[in-house]
Amino acid sequence: MDIRSNVTTSSKIKPNEPYDYKKMEQIAHGIRQRVLELTIEKNGCYLSQALSSAEIVSVLYGGLMKLGESQAPFVAPSFGGVPGNSNKDYVTGAAYNGPTGPGYDRLLISPAHYAVVIYAALVESGRLSPDSLKEFNVDGSIVEQIGAEHSPGFELTTGSFGQAISQAGGIAHARKMRNEKGRVFLFMSDGELEEGQTWEGIQAAAHYKLDNLVVYVDVNGQQYDGWTKDVMNIEPINSRIEAFGGTCVTVDGHHIDELVRASQTPTENKPLFVLCYTNSAQGLPELDYRKPNLHFVRFRDHEIEQFKAILEDMKKGVR
């Protein structure tokens, strides 16, 4: 897939703008390294989702969003049960993103299978201990393979895909009514644009003029059964979103400066959608041959030593 197709190239960010691009690049590298390591250790993981979205998530956690200090334990605790009268101290995973006061941004995650990407970003941004990843996909742990509202970085259990945009819109609407300055960021995957509820959510966000809602979409063009264009074509996404009343910007999802600049797009009382066209094997071209069957990556016996060597090179900074 040529990720440069259908991409609007932006000019370079000015050096005096208050973003640490080096830090964002390091977070993206760390996300790929940690998820590759888990894929080897756990004999399978949602690796391609990490490869495609690493820069998007690193930008969000690397300083684009206005987040306060984490309010959650640095070491992920065991699951303490569901909220209720007997469990009033229940803490959602959003506590890892900091307080939710009027001046802070909020981040909602729609595709729950991207959870490992969020955990890795939390580790790389100093909000979660590296050892917490050892609990990934272990019974009784909150570091679940499919993220829920108690999982680090998650405010919602999003259930079926396409639901989070409606919840994000509701939060953004309430924040506008209260004149809160913080924005609501939503991270989505492109397959969710096949869902009818997604389009109802876009329509409602436009109707209520939610210019405090910013949606980053990982458009990697793949889903469980193959290429998205073959399973259920969703293009042209940009003109469809604009027809539903949103402002839409298209960027190369691996260019950090474009991802940052997109968030500054004037929206004129409309929700902002940033379509991030990405490569599901970015940083690991050895996986190119498997496309489009990369939804869940499990290495074959003869590949394990090869990818262990690649991981060591990543740790050394060779690649």
Side-chain angles (χ1 to χ4, degrees):
M1 177 184 183
D2 179 9
I3 62 171
R4 296 298 305 180
S5 62
N6 197 24
V7 167
T8 299
T9 302
S10 64
S11 57
K12 293 292 183 182
I13 296 290
K14 297 177 182 177
N16 60 350
E17 290 185 347
Y19 297 106
D20 188 341
Y21 300 103
K22 187 65 177 177
K23 175 184 175 182
M24 293 174 175
E25 290 174 359
Q26 290 172 343
I27 291 175
H29 179 79
I31 289 171
R32 290 194 174 93
Q33 177 182 311
R34 292 185 186 280
V35 179
L36 173 59
E37 189 166 28
L38 280 173
T39 304
I40 295 170
E41 290 179 355
K42 302 288 184 178
N43 192 27
C45 196
Y46 289 102
L47 175 60
S48 71
Q49 290 79 359
L51 301 180
S52 64
S53 68
E55 280 79 16
I56 303 170
V57 177
S58 72
V59 163
L60 295 174
Y61 275 107
L64 178 63
M65 292 189 301
K66 295 177 182 176
L67 300 177
E69 295 294 323
S70 171
Q71 308 292 296
F74 186 55
V75 178
S78 300
F79 179 58
V82 299
N85 290 333
S86 61
N87 190 20
K88 293 184 177 178
D89 295 329
Y90 184 92
V91 178
T92 74
Y96 283 91
N97 297 337
T100 58
Y104 292 109
D105 292 335
R106 304 266 286 271
L107 173 63
L108 305 180
I109 309 299
S110 191
H113 64 298
Y114 276 69
V116 68
V117 187
I118 304 304
Y119 305 150
L122 289 171
V123 171
E124 291 298 319
S125 57
R127 294 172 180 272
L128 182 67
S129 73
D131 282 348
S132 297
L133 291 183
K134 295 178 181 176
E135 299 300 310
F136 177 72
N137 203 27
V138 173
D139 284 350
S141 167
I142 64 171
V143 191
E144 298 199 39
Q145 181 161 245
I146 304 298
E149 64 174 0
H150 50 265
S151 300
F154 280 72
E155 184 163 347
L156 304 169
T157 296
T158 49
S160 299
F161 287 163
Q163 294 185 357
I165 189 170
S166 297
Q167 299 179 76
I171 294 171
H173 186 38
R175 300 195 91 176
K176 275 189 74 86
M177 293 177 71
R178 295 171 180 167
N179 293 317
E180 295 184 0
K181 293 182 179 179
R183 294 197 288 179
V184 178
F185 286 80
L186 174 66
F187 174 73
M188 289 184 64
S189 56
D190 55 348
E192 296 175 85
L193 293 164
E194 298 172 2
E195 305 279 351
Q197 182 167 329
T198 296
W199 296 100
E200 291 181 19
I202 296 171
Q203 177 178 278
H207 175 79
Y208 290 108
K209 301 180 180 178
L210 302 182
D211 53 6
N212 59 343
L213 176 62
V214 183
V215 183
Y216 276 78
V217 186
D218 179 13
V219 189
N220 62 23
Q222 294 182 206
Q223 58 190 88
Y224 182 86
D225 292 321
W227 297 114
T228 302
K229 63 182 176 61
D230 295 330
V231 177
M232 179 59 70
N233 185 38
I234 54 178
E235 295 285 2
I237 306 172
N238 55 350
S239 59
R240 292 177 70 194
I241 288 177
E242 289 172 352
F244 270 71
T247 296
C248 197
V249 180
T250 300
V251 301
D252 181 330
H254 300 299
H255 280 216
I256 285 175
D257 57 345
E258 293 185 17
L259 290 164
V260 171
R261 186 176 291 279
S263 72
Q264 303 162 348
T265 304
T267 57
E268 299 178 351
N269 294 321
K270 298 178 179 179
L272 173 62
F273 291 80
V274 183
L275 302 182
C276 313
Y277 280 80
T278 61
N279 174 7
S280 58
Q282 183 75 10
L284 284 180
E286 291 84 356
L287 289 175
D288 275 339
Y289 81 97
R290 287 200 192 186
K291 291 178 179 177
N293 301 309
L294 282 171
H295 185 74
F296 188 88
V297 174
R298 194 186 306 277
F299 295 127
R300 299 172 177 110
D301 289 345
H302 70 276
E303 294 177 317
I304 292 177
E305 293 305 318
Q306 175 193 9
F307 282 93
K308 282 184 176 178
I310 291 172
L311 175 62
E312 290 306 309
D313 285 344
M314 293 176 75
K315 290 181 177 179
K316 295 174 184 175
V318 176
R319 57 179 292 169

